[in-house]
């Protein structure tokens, strides 16, 4: 019997357009002999199954089912392709855990933790994972520019604490520009993180559950044409993503070890993509993504291709791992 797979995509954040692209790639790639795939759009105002004619059928949130032509369809597994909230921050994971429905991403706690940059870095610090100096602000806190600069220096990065894909991020060179950068980040989140600028080679490391093992994928080097790896660099082609990365074997071994350690310390499952910058010959962790982009141009699929893992195999394996948890 073919399994019914719900591919959830969209979401409530600024990343919904990228998520729809990722979800469509999964839908078009999954092996049709093994799976009945269904595109499920998750938005704040509607959860709907969208068929190939773009007709919409509402999802019953009580059991995450859908009725099509008087037939009730229930799903065996959920493929999570929602970047940002509610797919990457734990909400969908918690919902499916309550329904006892298998899903391809990590568990609720791991999703919530990794989505909160401040809490993630604080959790990993006792394990010796190196991170940039940082300063945290909640909405309404006074802005003490002298204290911020004393802690992180200039230039520095101002980021939304719980937002992905480089939304709400600024690189600040002068004290007088801090205020505007902080206001920009607060448009994305009510918590922000201000980080020391690390000047070094930036790499992205995919780590996945694959055939029952933790597999570190080939490393990608990020070379932004912009001042940093912002949204335009990430999604609009204004960067070079070089796989395998042009780094020494010593650097590669160090960052592979760190990425795998993080995956295993956090008891992760599914896909992850961790970003690092090398400083003084050591990898410093920037963030961990648990629902990375899945378009053909995205970093994780590039890495899988370099590892001779086809997209069909990558996505099919994620479903089988979820079903056999």
């Amino acid at each position: 019997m073919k399994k019914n797979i719900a591919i959830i995509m969209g979401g409530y954040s600024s990343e919904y357009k990228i998520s729809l692209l990722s979800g469509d790639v999964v839908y078009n790639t999954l092996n049709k002999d093994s799976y009945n795939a269904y595109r499920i759009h998750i938005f704040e105002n509607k959860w709907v199954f969208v068929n190939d004619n773009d007709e919409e059928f509402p999802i019953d949130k009580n059991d995450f089912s859908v009725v099509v032509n008087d037939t009730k369809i229930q799903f065996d597994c959920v493929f999570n392709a929602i970047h940002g909230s509610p797919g990457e921050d734990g909400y969908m994971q918690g919902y499916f855990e309550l329904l006892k429905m298998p899903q391809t991403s990590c568990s609720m706690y791991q999703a919530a933790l990794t989505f909160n940059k401040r809490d993630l870095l604080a959790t990993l610090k006792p394990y010796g994972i190196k991170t940039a100096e940082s300063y945290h602000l909640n909405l309404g806190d006074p802005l003490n520019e002298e204290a911020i600069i004393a802690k992180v220096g200039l230039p520095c990065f101002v980021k939304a604490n719980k937002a992905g894909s480089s939304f709400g991020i600024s690189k600040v060179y002068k004290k007088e520009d801090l205020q505007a950068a902080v206001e920009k980040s607060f448009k994305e989140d009510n918590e922000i993180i201000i980080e020391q600028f690390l000047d070094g080679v930036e790499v992205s490391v995919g780590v996945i559950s694959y055939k029952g093992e933790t597999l570190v994928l080939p490393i990608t080097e990020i070379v932004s044409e912009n001042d940093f790896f912002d949204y335009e660099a990430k999604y609009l082609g204004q960067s070079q993503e070089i796989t395998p990365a042009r780094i020494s074997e010593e650097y590669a071994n160090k960052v592979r070890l760190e990425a795998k350690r993080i995956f295993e310390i956090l008891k992760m499952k599914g896909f992850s993509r961790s970003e690092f910058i090398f400083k003084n010959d050591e990898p410093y962790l920037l963030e961990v993504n648990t629902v990375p982009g899945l378009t053909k141009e995205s970093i994780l699929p590039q890495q899988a291709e370099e590892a001779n893992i086809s997209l069909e195999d990558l996505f099919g394996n994620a479903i089988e791992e979820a079903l056999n948890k």
Side-chain angles (χ1 to χ4, degrees), residues 291-309:
V291 187
L294 298 173
T295 67
K296 291 180 178 67
E297 298 76 30
S298 298
I299 292 172
L300 193 87
Q302 287 180 36
Q303 295 176 342
E305 183 181 2
E306 183 68 23
N308 294 316
I309 299 170

Side-chain angles (χ1 to χ4, degrees), residues 62-63 91-101 108:
N62 293 298
D63 60 358
Y91 286 102
M92 296 306 294
Q93 289 85 347
Y95 169 70
F96 291 122
E97 283 173 28
L98 288 172
L99 292 179
K100 295 184 167 48
M101 188 174 290
M108 176 183 73

